Amino acid sequence: VPTVLISIMLLALYMVFIVMRPLKLFENKMAELNSQSLFHDEPITSPYKEFNQLIHVYSDLRKRLAESFNKARRFSSDVSHELRTPLSILRGNAERMISELPVGSAAQVQARLMSDEIERLILITEKLLLLSRADANSLQLEMHQFNVSQATQELVEDALSFHPNLHIKHNIQEGVMWLCDAQLIHQLIQNLYTNAVKYNTNNGWVLVRLACTDGQLELTIENPTDEATQDLAERGFERFYRGDASRTRGVDGFGLGLSICQEIAHVHNGTLTLDVTPEKTVRLTLTAPVQVTTPAHHP
């Protein structure tokens, strides 16, 4: 009897394994779905015809999701394109109005405020256009050797001049070269530093570290903060997310900077992470594959 019971139990476990195998396949396929894999039409086969209807429903759902995602991409891109021309015309008219109005008059002040808001709209459309291109995998990269060490060092030197109230600490390795789109990477570094300044404390500090080990670049920008929302680490890269602290303090921004930085890192096969430390500091870390060259020494 024990032998029969054990045999029945083993047979039942085997049958459960066989029956659950197609379901495990579906589970893995659904776990892999993201904005990129939605467009990969990979056929799924099941050993049992009873699961064919489930396969059909899954494939149809993936196609409808891909179509909806494409429509959202096109909408964002089309809106950004269509807004650029009228906003440029508005900016030109506002600048002309400012120059024609009496200096210091109330009308000129209002015209300047209007011009500032137009500039904000132009910046938003440019950022949305960049994000829509990143979503569609259509960012055109101009790859060149870029001296990351030099660019970071220049940023630190400018920070010492323009933000004397901040203590700028840095540890920058020399000779870090990166085959990348220099303009996009420069924008990424500038965005990270700008955020560190905006969301800093009074008479605070900014720590900039750059190192490259075994062909892996690591750039870290860290700063203290008075208030870091509990969901900052989870939602910091969401588009238009700024947190309660930035709204109450009146910090200028659109909530798109970190999203753009993340996309730039992604197209360069890198990763960007955000951590809120127990010491109430915010640390942003960029890691990416690069190469290191020894800087030339001139007499």
Side-chain angles (χ1 to χ4, degrees), residues 51-70:
F51 289 93
N52 289 340
Q53 182 62 26
L54 183 59
I55 292 175
H56 176 73
V57 171
Y58 167 80
S59 299
D60 183 61
L61 175 62
R62 184 194 56 77
K63 291 178 181 177
R64 285 188 281 119
L65 285 174
E67 183 180 355
S68 299
F69 204 79
N70 259 333

Side-chain angles (χ1 to χ4, degrees), residues 144-152 173-178 293:
H144 301 285
Q145 287 291 346
F146 179 55
N147 193 328
V148 187
S149 299
Q150 180 180 344
T152 309
Q173 178 179 334
E174 294 185 357
V176 179
M177 303 297 296
W178 190 356
T293 59

